[in-house]
Amino acid sequence: MEVDNSVYSYLQKQQHEVPSQLAPYFGDFEDLYERKIWHQLTEKVEKFINIPEAAPYRIGLYNEFIRDWQKHMNKVKLVLFALAAARQFDSSPTAAEFMSEIAEDVNKPDSQDAYALALLESAHFRLLLNDLDSTRDTLEKCQKMIESFANVDSVIHASFYRVCADYYKAKAAFGQYYKNALLLLACIDVQQLSIEDRVQRAYDLAIAALLSDNIYNFGVLLSHQIVESLRGTEHEWMLDLLLAFNSGNIGKFEALMGKMHAQPLLAQQEVFLQQKIRLTALIESMFSRQGAGARTVSFGDISAETKLPTGEIEHLVMKALSLGLIRGRIDQVDQQVTVQWVQPRYLGKDQIRGLVERLGQWETRVKETAQKMTQTTPELFA
C-alpha cells in the first residue's frame, strides 16, 4: 500500500489537538497503520470510538482515517464505525444518507450481513423523520436477508429488533412493540445501556404491556431485570401498576388512577384498562381457588371480586373465554361459571406465600385423612 501522507498528517495533528487522555490512541493508530496490523488496528479504533469523550472526533476519524484502510477490516465493524460517526451528525437526513452510502459500499456477496446492518441503521434515521413506509420496506427486506444467513452476529439481530420496536412504537402497535423490544433486550447486555435508556425502555415496555389487547400475562416483563430500573424514579408507579394488573388488584389499580390520568396514552384508554384489570382479577380469582370443585363459581362471587354488577359478569366471562384466558362454560340458568383451565400466572412474592400456605393446608389435610383412615380401618395398613 502506498504511503498516504494525508493520513499521517491527520493522525499527527490529532495527537496535538485532542484531549491528553485521547492523544495516545492516535499514536497507536499511526504505529499499527504503518505496520499494517489491521486486526489490532480495528480493535484499537473500536475501543476509542466507545469512549464517550471521543464523540466529537468520530466523524473526522471515519472520513480521514478509517476510509483509507476499510478494505482490510471486518465489514460489520466498518458499519458500526460508520454508525458511530453518523450519530454525531446534526441532522437525521444527513445521517440517513450517510448510512445509505455505507450500505452501498458494503453491498458485496461476501458482506451481505454488513449490508443488512447498514440498511437497518439507515432506516433508523429515516424513522426519526417519520418515514414509516420506507422503514417498513427495509425491515421486510432485511428480515428475509437475515433469515437466509447461516449465522447472524447478535449486533445485527439487535439492530433489527430495535428498529422494529421503534417502528411499531411509532405505529402505536403495542403488542408488536412489546415483542420486539423484549427480543432486543435478549440480544444485548442491559447493564451496558445508560440509566436513562434503561428507564425509558422499561417505561415503554410497561405502557405496551398495559395497552396491548393480547397481553394478560405480565410474567416475562416482571421477571426481567429491566423493570427494576423504574425503582427510585418518577415512574416507579408504573411498576406498581404492572403488579396490580398481574395480581388483579382492583383496589391498587384505582389508587393509581390519578397517576394514570397524567399519562395521556393511559388516560385515553381508561375504559379498556378498566376491563383489562377486571379480566386479570377474574383470572387471578379462578387461579387461586382450591380444588376442582371450587372452580365452579357463582356470578355473585365473581361480581364481588371484580367489582362489576352481576348483569355484566356473563359478558366479562365470555370475553375471557374468547381471549383464551380461561376454558370452561357458563350456566346462565344457575348463574355460575365452571372453569377447567386458567392461563398460567406469574407469581409475585405475596402470591407465592399464598401458594405455600395452600400447599401447607393441603399437606395437613392429607395427613389428617391418612390418620383417620389408619384409626378407622387399621387392617388396610397392616
Side-chain angles (χ1 to χ4, degrees), residues 170-320:
K171 297 276 289 184
F174 301 111
Q176 289 284 65
Y177 169 81
Y178 181 82
K179 172 185 174 182
N180 284 280
L182 283 177
L183 286 170
L184 167 63
L185 294 180
C187 297
I188 62 176
D189 181 353
V190 174
Q191 294 305 313
Q192 290 187 355
L193 298 174
S194 67
I195 295 175
E196 294 78 10
D197 197 4
R198 272 179 268 167
V199 171
Q200 186 62 55
R201 291 185 183 281
Y203 181 80
D204 288 343
L205 275 164
I207 291 287
L210 292 167
L211 295 182
S212 171
D213 58 5
N214 57 12
I215 296 174
Y216 288 83
N217 189 331
F218 302 87
V220 174
L221 181 55
L222 285 171
S223 61
H224 199 290
Q225 60 177 310
I226 194 72
V227 297
E228 292 300 313
S229 306
L230 296 172
R231 294 194 186 279
T233 73
E234 60 180 320
H235 303 307
E236 186 170 356
W237 66 273
M238 288 293 294
L239 178 55
D240 295 333
L241 189 58
L242 284 174
L243 291 168
F245 269 85
N246 185 67
S247 61
N249 190 329
I250 296 174
K252 192 171 185 180
F253 167 81
E254 291 176 342
L256 291 167
M257 195 71 74
K259 295 282 190 180
M260 290 170 51
H261 286 163
Q263 210 296 332
L265 283 173
L266 297 182
Q268 292 167 13
Q269 297 294 325
E270 182 176 343
V271 173
F272 168 76
L273 291 171
Q274 290 275 5
Q275 182 187 64
K276 189 165 184 173
I277 189 67
R278 282 165 174 77
L279 282 167
T280 57
L282 173 65
I283 300 168
E284 182 65 22
S285 170
M286 297 301 178
F287 183 80
S288 62
R289 293 179 183 276
Q290 303 176 47
R295 292 294 182 93
T296 297
V297 191
S298 70
F299 280 17
D301 288 342
I302 296 175
S303 173
E305 292 162 353
T306 61
K307 297 186 178 180
L308 274 178
T310 55
E312 297 181 28
I313 296 304
E314 183 178 355
H315 176 74
L316 181 73
V317 175
M318 288 177 66
K319 183 69 174 179

Side-chain angles (χ1 to χ4, degrees), residues 24-141:
Y25 282 94
F26 286 89
D28 292 339
F29 294 161
E30 183 176 356
D31 175 59
L32 294 169
Y33 174 79
E34 185 173 15
R35 293 192 288 147
K36 302 179 182 179
I37 305 178
W38 309 121
H39 179 69
Q40 290 183 28
L41 179 54
T42 301
E43 291 182 334
K44 181 63 70 171
V45 169
E46 182 176 27
K47 186 175 180 181
F48 174 82
I49 280 178
N50 287 327
I51 299 173
E53 292 78 10
Y57 308 99
R58 290 170 185 162
I59 296 175
L61 185 71
Y62 188 87
N63 288 328
E64 303 296 331
F65 181 53
I66 295 173
R67 283 186 185 276
D68 183 80
W69 53 279
Q70 64 182 32
K71 66 181 180 181
H72 299 292
M73 76 172 71
N74 176 284
K75 296 305 180 287
V76 170
K77 295 286 187 185
L78 174 64
V79 173
L80 292 175
F81 294 165
L83 176 61
R87 287 172 174 161
Q88 303 308 310
F89 287 118
D90 293 331
S91 70
S92 295
T94 303
E97 181 61 28
F98 178 77
M99 289 309 301
S100 294
E101 292 173 2
I102 300 301
E104 290 308 309
D105 287 345
V106 298
N107 186 12
K108 305 291 190 298
D110 61 345
S111 57
Q112 287 296 288
D113 53 349
Y115 177 52
L117 179 60
L119 287 176
L120 287 166
E121 294 304 337
S122 178
H124 159 76
F125 289 111
R126 293 198 303 276
L127 187 58
L128 295 179
L129 300 169
N130 204 35
D131 189 349
L132 299 179
D133 291 340
S134 69
T135 300
R136 181 200 62 229
D137 293 342
T138 298
L139 287 172
E140 291 175 353
K141 177 179 180 178

